[in-house]
Amino acid sequence: MFFTEDRHQFFKPLTGKYREQVAECLRLLHERLYSAQADYGESLKREQVLDVFSEALERAPLLEGGDEDGGRFRNNREQAAWILHTLVEHGWLKRDKDEASFQSTYPFSRTGRLFTQTLAEVDGRGIRTRHRNTRNTLNALAAFLDRGEVYDLLDAHEHSERIIADFTDIIAELEERKRELVKEVEAQQLVQQASDQFFEFMEKRFQPDVAIRMSADSVEKHRDRIQNTIERIRRKPTDWKRNAELELRRLAPDLVINPEGSVLWQLLDSIETRMRSAAETMLPALRRTLQGFTRRADIIIRQLSYLHSQQHSDIVGLCRELSELDDATTAKRLEAAGRAMAHLRLGLVDPAQNRLREQREKRQVQSRMTQLDAPDPATLRDLAIQQLLEKAFSIHGEGLRDYLRQALGASRRIDNRDLPVNNATDLLALSHVIELGSADHRASGFRLRIEPTDPIIGERYFARRDGFLLELEHDDDT
């Protein structure tokens, strides 16, 4: 359980009228302890923490709402001491005592540090390269393939999870920016401010990130390379995969869901699924959101252009001014405006612009149909032979699946040495049965696990061919 012992009222400091000030104190303390400004060789004592909190209180506003903690504070120092006591009481900070100097230090608790890190990331002050996780996944898989260290595979699994999270973050940020623009553009006096913020966001934040995401870090660009690397890992020797499986079970026992299942295969399948979701679902969603965002930019540009063109023709103000005048003065001004607008302007057409175009001759099109003669018997025989040859050496996916289903019978696992060959069609299916493990068949609901075995030598139909163990995991038609 989360709300136990010292975390019984963990979120209470972030409620009430001082919640924004407490959040700013936590963010500033986190920056002081864990950013580039941190002094990692020394823990902060009480006076140092109070100095950090006093600085944060100068920045943060006081929100309206009920005050559950009594009256007002006389100064920021007193309020900082109250905030420090509250954070220690509810489990955000710890009080450690130095045995030598008997002075107390106030580091973050583990739970407090994790939640404060989230507050700091939401504030957006730090720098985070959110567009490198696809390449990180590929690099970690390649390192696992070369060295066989399972930590590299676990890193690849973690980076692949962040790919989906990064897409979700940037889509949510775009939607939030679009809502802010709609809200600010509703007021005419904020149009310029909204446009400045929009173009600054597009130039400094959005364009660099999305440009890399769509080119150097595109999931479509690296998806095939990641898939090829996973396939090479699956084709590793059995002893290599057995050692990796044992090491994964030892280092990450929480990943063992089914004792009979493979943790190695589970991680590789998970990475494949995430890459497919990122390429087929999240990337199109990002493009749709980007289109909506750019349409909003077009609306802002049009509105700015309209306001700029109307700033010297205030029709509404002119009508209001005329309505305040008496009838004689209004008639006099309108008459003067009519005389100014009644001048006749006569323009003559330039004779050089009048030219006669040469008439083009219409093209004659022969629309008569030519009657073709019937083909001779020799031509018909050659066409029939060609069609029979094409049918004899052609095989399709459904035929392959039916062949394997008949060979499996009631079982789910078979060695390709035991596949029957009763006719030419079976021989052709045997030579293509490895294709059933491809992604196209998986997408159609037919999932086949293929494990390489020893090569097969000296058969009747093949001089040498690879050996495989075929296991049917799922079939929608059964």
Side-chain angles (χ1 to χ4, degrees), residues 54 66 116 126 142 196 213 271 286 328 331 366 373 415 421 457 459 467:
S54 298
T116 305
D196 292 342
R213 190 181 300 277
I271 294 175
L286 175 60
Q366 298 292 339
D373 297 331
D415 197 310
V421 179
I457 303 174
E459 280 191 327

Side-chain angles (χ1 to χ4, degrees), residues 228-246:
N228 293 335
T229 305
I230 291 176
E231 292 300 330
R232 292 174 62 189
I233 294 174
R234 294 182 188 274
R235 292 194 298 267
K236 277 287 190 177
T238 305
D239 294 339
W240 189 92
K241 291 183 288 189
R242 183 186 300 112
N243 295 333
E245 179 71 24
L246 294 175

Side-chain angles (χ1 to χ4, degrees), residues 329-351:
T329 306
T330 302
K332 184 178 180 180
R333 288 196 176 186
L334 292 177
E335 184 179 357
R339 289 195 301 268
M341 299 171 60
H343 294 294
L344 180 62
R345 296 181 181 179
L346 180 62
L348 300 178
V349 179
D350 186 2

Side-chain angles (χ1 to χ4, degrees), residues 321-335:
E321 182 181 354
L322 291 175
S323 64
E324 296 175 356
L325 301 176
D326 58 280
D327 295 342
T329 306
T330 302
K332 184 178 180 180
R333 288 196 176 186
L334 292 177
E335 184 179 357

Side-chain angles (χ1 to χ4, degrees), residues 46-293:
R46 176 182 174 84
E47 293 301 320
Q48 294 172 313
V49 175
L50 294 180
D51 291 338
V52 173
F53 284 2
S54 298
E55 180 182 352
L57 292 174
E58 292 292 338
R59 303 179 182 179
L62 179 63
L63 302 179
E64 297 180 358
D67 187 359
E68 302 176 0
D69 302 293
R72 297 181 179 179
F73 302 101
R74 290 176 295 182
N75 51 48
N76 289 339
R77 195 77 174 180
E78 183 178 344
Q79 185 177 358
W82 172 80
I83 293 176
L84 175 60
H85 174 73
T86 303
L87 294 176
V88 172
E89 180 183 0
H90 294 94
W92 289 82
L93 302 179
K94 298 187 299 182
R95 181 187 288 110
D96 294 339
K97 183 175 292 186
D98 189 355
E99 299 296 337
S101 61
F102 297 99
Q103 292 184 348
S104 297
T105 57
Y106 295 87
F108 274 102
S109 64
R110 179 179 178 275
T111 308
R113 179 179 59 82
L114 293 176
F115 279 96
T116 305
Q117 181 178 356
T118 303
L119 291 175
E121 291 178 356
V122 170
D123 191 48
R125 298 178 185 175
I127 299 175
R128 180 186 173 194
T129 55
R130 301 189 303 176
H131 49 68
R132 290 190 57 88
N133 286 314
T134 306
R135 276 176 285 176
N136 291 338
T137 303
L138 176 59
N139 295 336
L141 282 174
F144 174 66
L145 177 65
D146 294 338
R147 299 193 297 263
E149 296 183 2
V150 297
Y151 286 109
D152 294 325
L153 179 60
L154 295 175
D155 289 342
H157 186 264
E158 182 180 357
H159 289 307
S160 67
E161 183 179 7
R162 292 178 184 173
I163 295 173
I164 306 296
D166 290 344
F167 273 110
T168 305
D169 288 345
I170 193 169
I171 290 174
E173 185 175 359
L174 285 174
E175 294 292 344
E176 183 179 357
R177 290 280 181 174
K178 188 166 64 175
R179 287 192 297 269
E180 291 177 358
L181 285 171
V182 173
K183 186 184 301 183
E184 293 175 351
V185 169
E186 289 178 354
Q188 180 175 342
Q189 63 273 15
L190 295 179
V191 171
Q192 187 63 39
Q193 178 183 353
S195 62
D196 292 342
Q197 294 177 357
F198 171 80
F199 290 116
E200 181 181 1
F201 170 74
M202 289 289 290
E203 180 181 359
K204 297 182 179 180
R205 167 67 183 85
F206 178 74
Q207 190 272 338
D209 190 3
V210 175
I212 298 177
R213 190 181 300 277
M214 295 296 183
S215 57
D217 195 59
S218 173
V219 292
E220 294 177 338
K221 175 181 178 181
H222 295 292
R223 180 183 179 184
D224 292 338
R225 297 178 61 188
I226 291 176
Q227 182 66 34
N228 293 335
T229 305
I230 291 176
E231 292 300 330
R232 292 174 62 189
I233 294 174
R234 294 182 188 274
R235 292 194 298 267
K236 277 287 190 177
T238 305
D239 294 339
W240 189 92
K241 291 183 288 189
R242 183 186 300 112
N243 295 333
E245 179 71 24
L246 294 175
E247 192 70 10
L248 283 171
R249 289 175 177 266
R250 184 181 69 84
L251 295 176
D254 295 338
L255 297 177
V256 183
I257 301 176
N258 183 7
E260 298 181 357
S262 173
V263 179
L264 175 61
W265 253 241
Q266 173 187 336
L267 294 179
L268 295 178
D269 291 341
S270 178
I271 294 175
E272 285 182 332
T273 303
R274 289 168 180 172
M275 293 302 302
R276 183 168 57 252
S277 300
E280 299 177 0
T281 304
M282 301 306 298
L283 189 58
L286 175 60
R287 286 172 177 155
R288 289 193 299 268
T289 307
L290 175 59
Q291 290 174 359
F293 200 45

